[in-house]
Amino acid sequence: MPKLDLIELQRFVPAGIKYRLKPYYRKIFSNKLVVLLNPTWRCNYRCSYCCIVTKFAYTSVVPKAGERSGQEWLQGLEKLPPALIYLCGGEPFVYADLPLLVNNLPEKHSLVGIVTNLSQPTSVYRKIERKIHLNASFHREHTDGPEFLAKIKELSPHFHIQVNIVATPENLLVLEQIADELHAAGVELHVDPYVDIGFHYTPDQLRILHKHITPDRQPESQLDYDDYSPKRCSAGRNYINFSPDGSAYTCQGGMNFLHSPLHAGMAQGRELGYFRVGNLFDQDFQLNKEDVLCSMPCNIACDRDSTIIRAEQLVRS
Ligand code: SF4
């Protein structure tokens, strides 16, 4: 079966349709491997709401010196079955080997896209020789609308660009205006609920949010930090997260429970070992053969997008 060209697909499927289809992705492609690869945790921004850089610095887990080179990743990725690969971080474009990694990605893999804050010089982006999808994160604490839009216009001939924004309470106040400006510029906007332990939207905020979020986002269930019910989950089998040193985790949520002090209260006294899946660069590295039984709240959007999660009925003896 010819390899599905996701870039072509993304270019021609209107965003609205794409997000209506997304929740059904795993019904169609139940075993397709989805990889979230974080080549670096470093970033040039310090967004107040960021759980990777500002609220907790993942560079304390894997600093620059611990990052794998682009050549190492190319060799490591050869070990995996054909996968859909998503590059995030940190800010991937501060990782010097990104062009090497992207321009030479093993043929069997498809690059779904790269998350970026669009802050690097255009010359850095232009080192990417393929027309790929950029998920441009609009961080208003570090850039303004006109500057951000100007960068999108400059890069649009070379990349398929869609904008993502986190619906913080501050961003909610101007979301209508941002949506209108991007729409007028012909740029797709995707809105992600703001996930922060204990944070809940007010009814008024939810009303604004629901006008802009797409069917792939359910803030009510996503922001349930108390759901410790047992879940059978495909993370680790058809979905894997790689840290910059090659450490493999079932999911971003699992990485947070294991490393982030922000999640220490939720993780305390809980079995968390199943979130670890070794290291891609270990000789004996392999994906999980079975789904895991997870009893932790599942709050991270990309984790929920890429996994099959079923409620597990535990049989009481
Ligand atoms: S249910 Fe969520 S937190 Fe648990 S393993 Fe699956 S993706 Fe990770």
Side-chain angles (χ1 to χ4, degrees):
M1 180 165 91
K3 192 173 76 173
L4 182 62
D5 190 322
L6 287 161
I7 301 303
E8 290 312 305
L9 208 60
Q10 293 189 74
R11 285 177 57 193
F12 297 107
V13 175
I17 305 284
K18 192 166 66 179
Y19 293 116
R20 275 180 181 69
L21 289 176
K22 213 164 144 187
Y24 304 97
Y25 173 77
R26 276 301 183 199
K27 294 197 174 21
I28 307 165
F29 302 100
S30 59
N31 291 321
K32 181 75 179 179
L33 178 63
V34 173
V35 171
L36 247 68
L37 196 164
N38 303 281
T40 181
W41 293 130
R42 293 173 289 127
C43 184
N44 55 322
Y45 281 2
R46 291 289 175 276
C47 303
S48 62
Y49 43 83
C50 180
C51 296
I52 299 289
V53 176
T54 316
K55 303 184 88 164
F56 169 63
Y58 262 90
T59 46
S60 63
V61 179
V62 182
K64 184 176 182 180
E67 296 171 0
R68 295 283 177 168
S69 69
Q71 202 52 51
E72 286 178 294
W73 280 115
L74 292 173
Q75 285 154 5
L77 292 172
E78 278 294 356
K79 291 183 182 178
L80 298 175
L84 304 180
I85 297 185
Y86 206 59
L87 295 169
C88 33
E91 169 50 49
F93 282 89
V94 304
Y95 174 69
D97 278 1
L98 190 73
L100 171 74
L101 175 56
V102 172
N103 295 338
N104 302 284
L105 201 68
E107 184 54 33
K108 63 178 173 179
H109 299 314
S110 293
L111 183 67
V112 179
I114 304 179
V115 177
T116 176
N117 59 27
L118 282 192
S119 63
Q120 300 304 296
T122 301
S123 57
V124 171
Y125 292 93
R126 293 302 311 280
K127 291 179 183 167
I128 304 290
E129 295 158 0
R130 305 163 55 183
K131 181 152 191 160
I132 59 163
H133 178 75
L134 295 182
N135 234 343
S137 301
F138 186 19
H139 297 296
R140 297 175 53 245
E141 293 175 355
H142 291 277
T143 184
D144 61 25
E147 181 187 43
F148 190 68
L149 257 179
K151 194 62 168 283
I152 291 173
K153 284 201 177 101
E154 208 179 334
L155 292 174
S156 287
H158 314 289
F159 301 101
H160 179 254
I161 301 178
Q162 170 227 297
V163 169
N164 204 74
I165 194 168
V166 178
T168 61
E170 297 75 20
N171 284 343
L172 277 177
L173 300 172
V174 291
L175 200 49
E176 193 79 34
Q177 179 203 333
I178 292 170
D180 291 347
E181 285 169 5
L182 289 171
H183 184 70
V187 179
E188 297 162 15
L189 174 64
H190 183 260
V191 178
D192 263 319
Y194 173 48
V195 176
D196 189 14
I197 300 161
F199 171 79
H200 293 285
Y201 288 108
T202 65
D204 287 345
Q205 289 171 332
L206 270 178
R207 260 189 294 282
I208 298 170
L209 182 59
H210 276 296
K211 276 180 14 188
H212 297 280
I213 55 169
T214 42
D216 60 330
R217 295 291 176 261
Q218 297 92 27
E220 288 77 5
S221 61
Q222 191 182 338
L223 303 187
D224 180 354
Y225 309 104
D226 301 315
D227 176 12
Y228 291 90
S229 65
K231 303 168 262 302
R232 190 63 64 181
C233 178
S234 66
R237 177 177 63 77
N238 64 4
Y239 175 56
I240 195 85
N241 280 235
F242 291 117
S243 187
D245 63 350
S247 298
Y249 302 87
T250 54
C251 52
Q252 180 67 45
M255 222 188 269
N256 289 340
F257 292 127
L258 285 163
H259 294 296
S260 169
L262 302 171
H263 296 74
M266 295 170 83
Q268 199 170 17
R270 305 266 173 189
E271 165 52 42
L272 302 174
Y274 59 85
F275 287 125
R276 293 184 189 279
V277 191
N279 186 301
L280 179 64
F281 300 97
D282 291 347
Q283 283 218 312
D284 61 355
F285 171 80
Q286 56 182 349
L287 298 167
N288 290 349
K289 295 205 170 16
E290 306 292 330
D291 290 1
V292 295
L293 182 59
C294 175
S295 296
M296 296 300 288
C298 189
N299 306 119
I300 305 290
C302 49
D303 291 348
R304 298 156 64 95
D305 284 347
S306 309
T307 50
I308 304 166
I309 305 173
R310 293 183 297 274
E312 178 83 355
Q313 304 307 325
L314 288 185
V315 182
R316 296 210 180 293
S317 53

